[in-house]
Amino acid sequence: MAFKAVIISRRSSGFGARWMSTWWGNVEPAPKDPILGVTEAFLADPSPDKVNVGVGAYRDDNGKPVVLECVREAERRIAGHLNMEYLPMGGSVKMVEETLKLAYGENSEFIQDKRIAAVQSLSGTGACRLFADFQKRFRPDSQIYIPVPTWANHHNIWRDAQVPQRTFHYYHPESRGLDFAGLMDDIKNAPNGSFFLLHACAHNPTGVDPSEEQWREISYQFKAKGHFAFFDMAYQGFASGDPERDAKSIRIFLEDGHLIGIAQSYAKNMGLYGQRVGCLSVLCEDEKQAVAVKSQLQQLGRPMYSNPPVQGAFIVSTVLGDPELKTLWLKEVKVMADRIIGMRTTLRENLEKLGSPLSWEHVTNQIGMFCYSGLTPEQVDRLTNEFHIYLTRNGRISMAGVTTGNVGYLANAIHEVSKSA
Ligand SMILES: Cc1ncc(COP(=O)(O)O)c(C=O)c1O
């Protein structure tokens, strides 16, 4: 009765309208995403010289976005044959099957023994988020160890899944390479049975990957400590140009008998950025466990997005399910990786020719889409304000945005802001 009385008095006094207008009065604007904010600033800049080396998306040598020929052909084959029905909660079975082969190996015993719980995810981000939610639900007291630095969104993902975060050493600023000793110490010092997030290849943002030998040591130490490795593999094929070679870290862990999790994405290596197609997989002890885990992953997805999108999944399964199209894809991945590797060499050569007093060896030592340049936030600000060159303030250069046409301009600008450092 009392409640009713309040409602009536609010109505009669006109209080309702004022009350309603304060629904979102407590909402402050969210901070800009450090990566997406760069693109916004780039688009708003009218300068004809402007260069965007901020965003992690591949560009051809004319700076244009690329749709792979294998994807175009898959689209032609699908056109008119694809109905728009919902996919199952776990997504396209065919796409997931082909995706697992890329990560675990064409003839993987784990695939044959049905020991992998796998679902189609909303690209790599969605795979990470689904895993983080799964971790929270079934290992509620666990934490996640995240490398320093990492792709900024990893922090958001595990934060929103309410999994406490710890960090581990990864990058060594002085050598601009791997802090292997620091990394191994942190693995040893973490409580037994900890969860670690590892970048399978082409580490973002540093471009620094452990060598094969180092991966073996990491795997050995993980085994000794009983840690769980969750691999984020957003760039398979982008590091070396060969997806098989880029899966080496994962294969080492599999050989050593780890039960791992993997997030896969077709954003970069098939250029399907906006299609949001990827896969989350968890290797289990046996088929029964895999069935249970998969059912729970689906259960987690159901109230968030119900089932994943269909178009990208069909493109992937068409490309990878056809030997001819798969060969074409492998060729096209290599072309993209090789262009990036070539631009690393050209950028370094240009800086050396300009007489830079600094070492730029790391530009060619690092691998994948990004070069962690070592430029300070203030130097990055100068690049942007004086030269209209856009990148994140941590000095990460997306090599995919570097072209024959802008590499000289970029090198000159980097030299200008760094020569007196
Ligand atoms: C390390 C890493 N993981 C995951 C992703 C997720 O990408 P997407 O959700 O577009 O597949 C990215 C994208 O930049 C990334 O760099």
Side-chain angles (χ1 to χ4, degrees):
M1 275 314 269
F3 178 66
K4 201 171 175 190
V6 169
I7 299 283
I8 289 165
S9 75
R10 275 178 182 161
R11 268 202 207 122
S12 58
S13 67
F15 178 79
R18 263 178 290 137
W19 189 52
M20 299 278 277
S21 71
T22 65
W23 271 118
W24 310 117
N26 60 335
V27 179
E28 298 289 335
K32 275 206 158 120
D33 183 281
I35 299 172
L36 302 183
V38 170
T39 301
E40 272 175 37
F42 169 79
L43 291 173
D45 185 341
S47 167
D49 298 329
K50 66 182 178 177
V51 175
N52 186 1
V53 284
V55 69
Y58 183 77
R59 299 287 178 258
D60 67 14
D61 202 39
N62 297 311
K64 296 276 180 281
V66 172
V67 178
L68 299 188
E69 195 40 52
C70 62
V71 168
R72 284 288 186 231
E73 178 55 26
E75 282 184 321
R76 281 190 283 272
R77 291 188 193 178
I78 292 167
H81 298 288
L82 174 66
N83 65 41
M84 302 290 163
E85 294 295 294
Y86 293 128
L87 284 175
M89 271 194 283
S92 155
V93 174
K94 177 88 184 127
M95 189 284 290
V96 167
E97 239 174 58
E98 293 298 336
T99 305
L100 294 182
K101 286 188 209 163
L102 289 178
Y104 293 80
E106 183 77 30
N107 301 309
S108 163
E109 61 185 285
F110 307 117
I111 298 177
Q112 280 155 22
D113 295 346
K114 300 188 167 53
R115 281 179 53 191
I116 308 170
V119 294
Q120 182 183 331
S121 60
L122 302 188
S123 213
T125 308
C128 288
R129 179 59 197 267
L130 204 53
F131 181 78
D133 283 341
F134 179 72
Q135 182 187 345
K136 181 67 188 175
R137 183 165 290 182
F138 293 97
R139 288 278 170 178
D141 299 326
S142 67
Q143 319 176 64
I144 183 86
Y145 280 79
I146 292 184
V148 180
T150 194
W151 179 49
N153 211 18
H154 283 145
H155 293 294
N156 306 333
I157 289 169
W158 269 270
R159 178 202 62 212
D160 280 7
Q162 296 179 15
V163 176
Q165 297 176 35
R166 305 292 299 269
T167 55
F168 67 91
H169 285 90
Y170 188 84
Y171 181 71
H172 190 254
E174 285 74 37
S175 66
R176 296 191 180 141
L178 186 68
D179 181 359
F180 188 59
L183 180 154
M184 291 301 279
D185 276 349
D186 289 345
I187 294 170
K188 282 179 203 158
N189 293 332
N192 290 351
S194 295
F195 285 80
F196 275 73
L197 167 70
L198 301 170
H199 295 228
C201 61
H203 183 274
N204 177 8
T206 67
V208 172
D209 285 349
S211 67
E212 192 176 323
E213 200 41 52
Q214 288 169 331
W215 274 121
R216 289 191 192 283
E217 287 187 48
I218 294 169
S219 170
Y220 180 85
Q221 200 52 52
F222 264 58
K223 202 81 208 212
K225 293 286 300 183
H227 293 329
F228 184 93
F230 181 70
F231 284 96
D232 183 2
M233 184 156 62
Y235 297 92
Q236 187 176 12
F238 250 86
S240 67
D242 174 8
E244 271 297 294
R245 215 166 123 190
D246 289 356
K248 193 70 200 171
S249 53
I250 286 174
R251 304 293 170 78
I252 288 170
F253 270 66
L254 293 177
E255 272 168 36
D256 288 349
H258 290 278
L259 296 176
I260 59 172
I262 311 178
Q264 290 173 260
S265 164
Y266 289 104
K268 325 280 172 166
N269 61 9
M270 216 176 270
L272 295 177
Y273 304 93
Q275 291 284 358
R276 313 311 292 146
V277 50
C279 178
L280 168 65
S281 61
V282 179
L283 176 59
C284 298
E285 278 156 25
D286 53 31
E287 184 179 351
K288 185 163 167 253
Q289 192 178 81
V291 169
V293 170
K294 182 177 173 185
S295 71
Q296 292 292 350
L297 294 175
Q298 292 179 166
Q299 188 89 354
L300 280 164
R302 176 72 170 148
M304 284 199 282
Y305 53 84
S306 213
N307 41 64
V310 68
Q311 176 79 7
F314 271 67
I315 291 172
V316 172
S317 55
T318 305
V319 170
L320 298 182
D322 178 291
E324 207 180 302
L325 283 187
K326 186 170 176 183
T327 305
L328 177 58
W329 173 61
L330 291 171
K331 230 166 80 187
E332 294 189 279
V333 174
K334 183 151 169 47
V335 167
M336 291 192 285
D338 283 352
R339 194 187 85 69
I340 290 175
I341 292 166
M343 278 303 125
R344 286 181 180 278
T345 309
T346 316
L347 178 61
R348 179 178 163 186
E349 282 171 359
N350 271 273
L351 282 159
E352 287 168 353
K353 264 192 231 143
L354 285 163
S356 173
L358 306 169
S359 164
W360 297 100
E361 212 179 315
H362 58 286
V363 175
T364 48
N365 285 347
Q366 296 171 358
I367 196 158
M369 199 177 260
F370 302 109
C371 165
Y372 213 47
S373 64
L375 294 169
T376 63
E378 293 70 33
Q379 289 169 335
V380 170
D381 290 344
R382 280 193 63 199
L383 282 182
T384 303
N385 298 333
E386 294 173 31
F387 297 94
H388 308 274
I389 294 170
Y390 290 83
L391 64 158
T392 42
R393 290 188 85 229
N394 60 5
R396 185 192 79 163
I397 295 172
S398 173
M399 292 306 300
V402 184
T403 65
T404 312
N406 66 25
V407 66
Y409 179 74
L410 177 66
N412 185 57
I414 292 175
H415 178 54
E416 283 303 316
V417 303
S418 65
K419 62 186 176 189
S420 57

mmCIF file of all heavy atoms in Angstrom, residues 113-117 259 282-293:
data_model
loop_
_atom_site.group_PDB
_atom_site.id
_atom_site.type_symbol
_atom_site.label_atom_id
_atom_site.label_comp_id
_atom_site.label_asym_id
_atom_site.label_seq_id
_atom_site.Cartn_x
_atom_site.Cartn_y
_atom_site.Cartn_z
ATOM 1 N N ASP A 113 40.338 -38.389 -31.377
ATOM 2 C CA ASP A 113 39.789 -38.945 -30.122
ATOM 3 C C ASP A 113 38.674 -38.087 -29.524
ATOM 4 O O ASP A 113 38.215 -38.354 -28.406
ATOM 5 C CB ASP A 113 40.914 -39.090 -29.079
ATOM 6 C CG ASP A 113 41.952 -40.117 -29.519
ATOM 7 O OD1 ASP A 113 41.652 -40.876 -30.461
ATOM 8 O OD2 ASP A 113 43.056 -40.141 -28.944
ATOM 9 N N LYS A 114 38.301 -37.031 -30.244
ATOM 10 C CA LYS A 114 37.202 -36.134 -29.814
ATOM 11 C C LYS A 114 37.431 -35.585 -28.407
ATOM 12 O O LYS A 114 36.510 -35.495 -27.593
ATOM 13 C CB LYS A 114 35.854 -36.864 -29.879
ATOM 14 C CG LYS A 114 35.478 -37.378 -31.256
ATOM 15 C CD LYS A 114 34.054 -37.894 -31.217
ATOM 16 C CE LYS A 114 33.417 -38.171 -32.535
ATOM 17 N NZ LYS A 114 34.058 -39.011 -33.480
ATOM 18 N N ARG A 115 38.684 -35.218 -28.150
ATOM 19 C CA ARG A 115 39.012 -34.721 -26.804
ATOM 20 C C ARG A 115 38.985 -33.193 -26.728
ATOM 21 O O ARG A 115 39.350 -32.621 -25.706
ATOM 22 C CB ARG A 115 40.404 -35.221 -26.406
ATOM 23 C CG ARG A 115 40.402 -36.652 -25.932
ATOM 24 C CD ARG A 115 41.796 -37.106 -25.577
ATOM 25 N NE ARG A 115 42.435 -36.207 -24.633
ATOM 26 C CZ ARG A 115 43.737 -36.269 -24.322
ATOM 27 N NH1 ARG A 115 44.508 -37.169 -24.897
ATOM 28 N NH2 ARG A 115 44.265 -35.432 -23.455
ATOM 29 N N ILE A 116 38.580 -32.551 -27.850
ATOM 30 C CA ILE A 116 38.612 -31.083 -27.838
ATOM 31 C C ILE A 116 37.188 -30.533 -27.788
ATOM 32 O O ILE A 116 36.367 -30.837 -28.662
ATOM 33 C CB ILE A 116 39.336 -30.538 -29.094
ATOM 34 C CG1 ILE A 116 40.712 -31.207 -29.238
ATOM 35 C CG2 ILE A 116 39.470 -29.027 -29.010
ATOM 36 C CD1 ILE A 116 41.393 -30.928 -30.557
ATOM 37 N N ALA A 117 36.927 -29.732 -26.759
ATOM 38 C CA ALA A 117 35.649 -29.021 -26.684
ATOM 39 C C ALA A 117 35.837 -27.722 -27.450
ATOM 40 O O ALA A 117 36.691 -26.920 -27.090
ATOM 41 C CB ALA A 117 35.307 -28.713 -25.233
ATOM 42 N N LEU A 259 47.144 -29.911 -21.183
ATOM 43 C CA LEU A 259 45.754 -29.671 -21.579
ATOM 44 C C LEU A 259 45.611 -28.161 -21.673
ATOM 45 O O LEU A 259 45.726 -27.458 -20.671
ATOM 46 C CB LEU A 259 44.801 -30.239 -20.515
ATOM 47 C CG LEU A 259 44.877 -31.757 -20.346
ATOM 48 C CD1 LEU A 259 43.973 -32.219 -19.214
ATOM 49 C CD2 LEU A 259 44.508 -32.472 -21.639
ATOM 50 N N VAL A 282 39.099 -26.086 -26.004
ATOM 51 C CA VAL A 282 39.703 -26.512 -24.738
ATOM 52 C C VAL A 282 39.990 -28.007 -24.866
ATOM 53 O O VAL A 282 39.068 -28.806 -25.109
ATOM 54 C CB VAL A 282 38.745 -26.256 -23.544
ATOM 55 C CG1 VAL A 282 39.377 -26.732 -22.242
ATOM 56 C CG2 VAL A 282 38.369 -24.779 -23.449
ATOM 57 N N LEU A 283 41.269 -28.357 -24.735
ATOM 58 C CA LEU A 283 41.647 -29.769 -24.829
ATOM 59 C C LEU A 283 41.366 -30.453 -23.487
ATOM 60 O O LEU A 283 41.813 -29.978 -22.435
ATOM 61 C CB LEU A 283 43.137 -29.890 -25.184
ATOM 62 C CG LEU A 283 43.710 -31.306 -25.221
ATOM 63 C CD1 LEU A 283 42.980 -32.190 -26.225
ATOM 64 C CD2 LEU A 283 45.205 -31.263 -25.561
ATOM 65 N N CYS A 284 40.603 -31.551 -23.548
ATOM 66 C CA CYS A 284 40.147 -32.202 -22.312
ATOM 67 C C CYS A 284 40.810 -33.563 -22.115
ATOM 68 O O CYS A 284 41.512 -34.057 -22.993
ATOM 69 C CB CYS A 284 38.630 -32.362 -22.360
ATOM 70 S SG CYS A 284 37.788 -30.778 -22.439
ATOM 71 N N GLU A 285 40.528 -34.162 -20.970
ATOM 72 C CA GLU A 285 41.150 -35.459 -20.655
ATOM 73 C C GLU A 285 40.583 -36.584 -21.520
ATOM 74 O O GLU A 285 41.288 -37.513 -21.871
ATOM 75 C CB GLU A 285 40.923 -35.792 -19.180
ATOM 76 C CG GLU A 285 41.925 -35.091 -18.293
ATOM 77 C CD GLU A 285 41.431 -34.912 -16.872
ATOM 78 O OE1 GLU A 285 40.573 -35.694 -16.417
ATOM 79 O OE2 GLU A 285 41.902 -33.968 -16.223
ATOM 80 N N ASP A 286 39.306 -36.492 -21.826
ATOM 81 C CA ASP A 286 38.692 -37.533 -22.668
ATOM 82 C C ASP A 286 37.436 -36.962 -23.328
ATOM 83 O O ASP A 286 37.060 -35.808 -23.088
ATOM 84 C CB ASP A 286 38.358 -38.783 -21.834
ATOM 85 C CG ASP A 286 37.519 -38.443 -20.606
ATOM 86 O OD1 ASP A 286 36.731 -37.483 -20.690
ATOM 87 O OD2 ASP A 286 37.663 -39.111 -19.569
ATOM 88 N N GLU A 287 36.813 -37.797 -24.130
ATOM 89 C CA GLU A 287 35.651 -37.353 -24.903
ATOM 90 C C GLU A 287 34.491 -36.916 -24.000
ATOM 91 O O GLU A 287 33.831 -35.913 -24.258
ATOM 92 C CB GLU A 287 35.202 -38.483 -25.844
ATOM 93 C CG GLU A 287 34.065 -38.053 -26.745
ATOM 94 C CD GLU A 287 33.604 -39.138 -27.716
ATOM 95 O OE1 GLU A 287 34.289 -40.181 -27.808
ATOM 96 O OE2 GLU A 287 32.564 -38.925 -28.366
ATOM 97 N N LYS A 288 34.300 -37.657 -22.920
ATOM 98 C CA LYS A 288 33.183 -37.350 -22.014
ATOM 99 C C LYS A 288 33.339 -35.943 -21.427
ATOM 100 O O LYS A 288 32.394 -35.144 -21.375
ATOM 101 C CB LYS A 288 33.169 -38.408 -20.890
ATOM 102 C CG LYS A 288 32.002 -38.287 -19.959
ATOM 103 C CD LYS A 288 31.848 -39.586 -19.160
ATOM 104 C CE LYS A 288 30.890 -39.358 -18.009
ATOM 105 N NZ LYS A 288 31.534 -39.307 -16.714
ATOM 106 N N GLN A 289 34.582 -35.649 -21.017
ATOM 107 C CA GLN A 289 34.835 -34.318 -20.456
ATOM 108 C C GLN A 289 34.647 -33.238 -21.530
ATOM 109 O O GLN A 289 34.105 -32.165 -21.262
ATOM 110 C CB GLN A 289 36.261 -34.277 -19.900
ATOM 111 C CG GLN A 289 36.544 -33.077 -19.043
ATOM 112 C CD GLN A 289 37.972 -33.142 -18.494
ATOM 113 O OE1 GLN A 289 38.919 -32.798 -19.196
ATOM 114 N NE2 GLN A 289 38.128 -33.594 -17.271
ATOM 115 N N ALA A 290 35.085 -33.559 -22.744
ATOM 116 C CA ALA A 290 34.960 -32.583 -23.833
ATOM 117 C C ALA A 290 33.491 -32.264 -24.126
ATOM 118 O O ALA A 290 33.124 -31.110 -24.387
ATOM 119 C CB ALA A 290 35.666 -33.103 -25.090
ATOM 120 N N VAL A 291 32.646 -33.283 -24.061
ATOM 121 C CA VAL A 291 31.206 -33.073 -24.297
ATOM 122 C C VAL A 291 30.645 -32.139 -23.222
ATOM 123 O O VAL A 291 29.900 -31.196 -23.505
ATOM 124 C CB VAL A 291 30.451 -34.432 -24.318
ATOM 125 C CG1 VAL A 291 28.941 -34.215 -24.296
ATOM 126 C CG2 VAL A 291 30.868 -35.246 -25.536
ATOM 127 N N ALA A 292 31.042 -32.395 -21.969
ATOM 128 C CA ALA A 292 30.545 -31.562 -20.865
ATOM 129 C C ALA A 292 31.035 -30.125 -21.010
ATOM 130 O O ALA A 292 30.256 -29.169 -20.895
ATOM 131 C CB ALA A 292 31.014 -32.146 -19.527
ATOM 132 N N VAL A 293 32.329 -29.956 -21.305
ATOM 133 C CA VAL A 293 32.888 -28.603 -21.421
ATOM 134 C C VAL A 293 32.223 -27.856 -22.575
ATOM 135 O O VAL A 293 31.831 -26.694 -22.438
ATOM 136 C CB VAL A 293 34.434 -28.665 -21.597
ATOM 137 C CG1 VAL A 293 34.994 -27.300 -21.968
ATOM 138 C CG2 VAL A 293 35.091 -29.176 -20.318
#
